[in-house]
Amino acid sequence: MISSEAPLVSVVIATRNRSELLKVGIHSVLNQTFENFELIIVDDGSTDNTEQVVKSIDDSRLIYVRGKGEGISAARNIGAQNSRGEWTAVHDDDDIMLPDRLEEQLKFINDSVDFIYGAFINFDDETAELQLHHGRNYGYGPALMSGFAPGHSTWLVRTELLKTFRYDEGIESAVDNNITFRMLRSGVRFKHSGVICLLRRVHSGRITNQGGQGQKYVAQMNLSFLKRSFTPQSIQELSKAARRDWGPVDKTNWETKYLGFLPDHLVKRSGFVVIAKQDPDLKESFQRLQVLDAAGMNWAEYFAICGAGVQTNRVSVRVRENSEIEEILNGIEIPRPYSKKSSHDLITEYALSSIHSRQDGFFESTDVLVLAVGPAQDWTDQQISVTKQRFSTTENGSEVMGGIIPLHSLEAADGIKMTLFGDGVLDCRIFVSGTTEKVREITKNDLRSDAINKTA
């Protein structure tokens, strides 16, 4: 049942006879960290089981529209006409939308922008070879220099613009260049978000590959249309200025950061993910932890968990080798019980990392922290009462709990450790936070020789 309240975003996918690839694309969209959207699938007259695949997915945000087989441009226009969202996010049926794409791009919405786009990563569907396309800041310069247009599946554009400009139904390739060139000439305001939005599958069935000479011809026709208003000299000057005007993409570790989202036939995951959820039956500061083995998840399970907003910094991913090497590697892998840290170590690491990840300023004025970890049944009421945030997980049927106590002096921390945790039943440690100079000042008269210096 379609909600009567219009969503903020309409995600539109036009497809034809790609049911298996489409299933992956749909899954990646429905498992976004941002949830206020509708997903419109426009089926451009498929003769395979596309309709059955879409209708088998139980999600109220999913809408199936049957086209007449009039081509990809017509299908995209049908999607625009059926969109109820203020903004439309474009996605292609054979691509994988990264879990935080919508959440991150929506941060750039304001009254001064009409069209937000980002970067994408090509991945070879046979070799897992990656290639980053981070794109230029869009304007006449890059468009005239090479016919550049923002990557189609990275678009987040005002829906009214797509309804007004429409895709040119007279062409079947380079349609994204065509519509962006027309928008550019009409004063549409573009913004490069810097967000890496998707993994773009490179395979023999792509429209780009099938278009061949026809795509090149249409692209040149589009560029000729754009150049009509410029002299050769102005084209040269604008092109020169655009050569180094790259978008603001964070390229740190991009080669490995997104490997875990590649399909199972390309990569192998190991390690674990950590889920932290508020416990509605307990105090607001209490979170339950759940530790899941990444090696035991298939792509769909891993993607769904990441879309729920889990920590994946303890997941390792490697590109799969050929079958012979894989057989050898599988034979020498470390047994699972030894490949994961204990819940005791996990809860310690998670509690400490949460201190720096909280956005509400809860620990901002804290100089010293006391962290205690141990079996939940060993905690006394007094010990629980002084903790400001607690974490809990289960190991072999027994609950392990950690608690954080923020303080302003090393002396107070040492006093709490001695008076409340002096029996040694719980593992209790003191952490000093701040810059190196601040830590030195606080610890110059150390009360404990094993105090841990945390430097910013």
Side-chain angles (χ1 to χ4, degrees):
M1 181 178 179
I2 300 174
S3 171
S4 58
E5 185 175 343
L8 178 61
V9 177
S10 296
V11 182
V12 177
I13 299 177
T15 187
R16 177 180 172 85
N17 291 338
R18 285 181 174 172
S19 60
E20 288 306 308
L21 295 178
L22 175 65
K23 189 187 303 182
V24 173
I26 290 174
H27 191 83
S28 72
V29 174
L30 293 179
N31 286 284
Q32 289 288 297
T33 55
F34 174 83
E35 298 180 343
N36 183 19
F37 64 85
E38 63 183 1
L39 172 56
I40 301 173
I41 307 296
V42 182
D43 182 355
D44 185 35
S46 294
T47 56
D48 64 0
N49 63 334
T50 292
E51 183 173 358
Q52 290 84 350
V53 165
V54 176
K55 292 184 176 180
S56 69
I57 300 172
D58 184 18
D59 194 303
S60 60
R61 297 169 297 176
L62 184 58
I63 301 166
Y64 175 81
V65 180
R66 179 75 178 182
K68 300 179 180 179
E70 296 175 330
I72 191 69
S73 295
R76 286 171 176 156
N77 288 333
I78 291 172
Q81 288 305 125
N82 282 272
S83 295
R84 299 179 300 139
E86 180 182 352
W87 293 82
T88 291
V90 178
H91 189 67
D92 286 344
D93 57 6
D94 52 350
D95 294 337
I96 297 172
M97 185 182 290
L98 292 172
D100 61 352
R101 177 253 171 117
L102 294 180
E103 178 183 2
E104 291 301 313
Q105 282 197 301
L106 285 167
K107 293 177 181 178
F108 293 87
I109 286 180
N110 59 60
D111 293 337
S112 65
V113 64
D114 305 309
F115 189 124
I116 299 164
Y117 63 100
F120 61 93
I121 297 173
N122 276 355
F123 74 94
D124 191 294
D125 202 32
E126 295 183 0
T127 67
E129 180 182 354
L130 303 180
Q131 184 180 30
L132 174 64
H133 292 258
H134 59 294
R136 302 177 188 274
N137 290 311
Y138 194 55
Y140 282 112
L144 292 167
M145 178 178 64
S146 60
F148 167 77
H152 192 223
S153 277
T154 74
W155 296 5
L156 181 65
V157 57
R158 293 187 188 276
T159 301
E160 192 58 39
L161 287 177
L162 291 177
K163 291 181 177 180
T164 300
F165 283 88
R166 297 176 57 84
Y167 290 92
D168 187 337
E169 298 183 15
I171 56 177
E172 284 298 303
S173 56
V175 292
D176 50 342
N177 294 65
N178 179 281
I179 193 171
T180 51
F181 288 177
R182 287 186 281 121
M183 287 182 177
L184 182 63
R185 288 190 60 172
S186 299
V188 170
R189 299 163 299 177
F190 293 82
K191 173 69 177 178
H192 195 317
S193 64
V195 175
I196 298 179
C197 299
L198 70 137
L199 299 175
R200 181 170 176 260
R201 192 187 306 261
V202 177
H203 60 102
S204 59
R206 287 193 306 158
I207 291 176
T208 301
N209 290 346
Q210 293 175 339
Q213 292 300 317
Q215 171 141 353
K216 294 179 181 178
Y217 171 76
V218 175
Q220 286 299 318
M221 181 182 68
N222 293 336
L223 186 55
S224 298
F225 159 78
L226 189 65
K227 288 181 175 179
R228 288 175 186 171
S229 302
F230 296 89
T231 65
Q233 182 180 354
S234 62
I235 292 174
Q236 186 177 15
E237 291 173 352
L238 287 166
S239 298
K240 183 178 179 181
R243 287 195 179 103
R244 302 190 181 203
D245 191 16
W246 296 103
V249 179
D250 180 6
K251 294 182 281 186
T252 307
N253 300 323
W254 72 267
E255 298 95 337
T256 56
K257 189 185 298 184
Y258 305 104
L259 275 179
F261 300 111
L262 291 177
D264 292 336
H265 71 279
L266 295 177
V267 297
K268 185 161 186 178
R269 306 171 197 89
S270 59
F272 47 90
V273 294
V274 179
I275 303 173
K277 293 183 178 179
Q278 296 295 137
D279 193 320
D281 299 324
L282 297 169
K283 290 184 178 181
E284 184 179 340
S285 63
F286 194 94
Q287 287 185 312
R288 291 280 181 187
L289 297 186
Q290 187 178 5
V291 181
L292 301 176
D293 188 355
M297 300 178 190
N298 61 33
W299 178 87
E301 293 167 334
Y302 181 75
F303 206 100
I305 286 198
C306 291
V310 304
Q311 287 198 0
T312 59
N313 54 343
R314 297 180 181 93
V315 176
S316 299
V317 185
R318 67 172 175 83
V319 176
R320 287 185 182 272
E321 305 284 352
N322 62 46
S323 57
E324 292 81 5
I325 294 178
E326 283 298 317
E327 188 173 349
I328 296 172
L329 290 174
N330 287 333
I332 62 174
E333 283 187 358
I334 299 174
R336 188 171 298 174
Y338 301 98
S339 64
K340 296 200 298 181
K341 296 180 181 179
S342 68
S343 291
H344 184 285
D345 291 337
L346 276 172
I347 207 168
T348 300
E349 289 184 12
Y350 186 83
L352 290 175
S353 67
S354 73
I355 293 168
H356 300 287
S357 62
R358 285 186 64 144
Q359 302 296 316
D360 56 5
F362 190 82
F363 295 110
E364 275 185 3
S365 60
T366 299
D367 296 321
V368 182
L369 294 162
V370 174
L371 172 64
V373 182
Q377 67 270 18
D378 292 339
W379 281 73
T380 67
D381 291 341
Q382 189 177 17
Q383 289 169 340
I384 292 174
S385 67
V386 299
T387 60
K388 297 301 181 183
Q389 185 169 17
R390 298 193 301 279
F391 307 85
S392 178
T393 188
T394 302
E395 182 177 38
N396 299 324
S398 299
E399 190 172 49
V400 178
M401 191 164 79
I404 300 174
I405 308 168
L407 297 161
H408 294 292
S409 75
L410 197 60
E411 183 177 4
D414 190 70
I416 282 183
K417 181 179 186 298
M418 295 300 295
T419 57
L420 291 185
F421 299 93
D423 57 10
V425 175
L426 303 179
D427 176 23
C428 181
R429 288 178 280 171
I430 297 176
F431 292 79
V432 179
S433 62
T435 63
T436 303
E437 293 74 16
K438 185 176 180 181
V439 170
R440 288 193 185 120
E441 176 66 24
I442 294 172
T443 60
K444 62 182 179 182
N445 297 315
D446 266 346
L447 298 173
R448 300 177 60 247
S449 60
D450 61 339
I452 300 176
N453 294 343
K454 289 287 287 181
T455 60

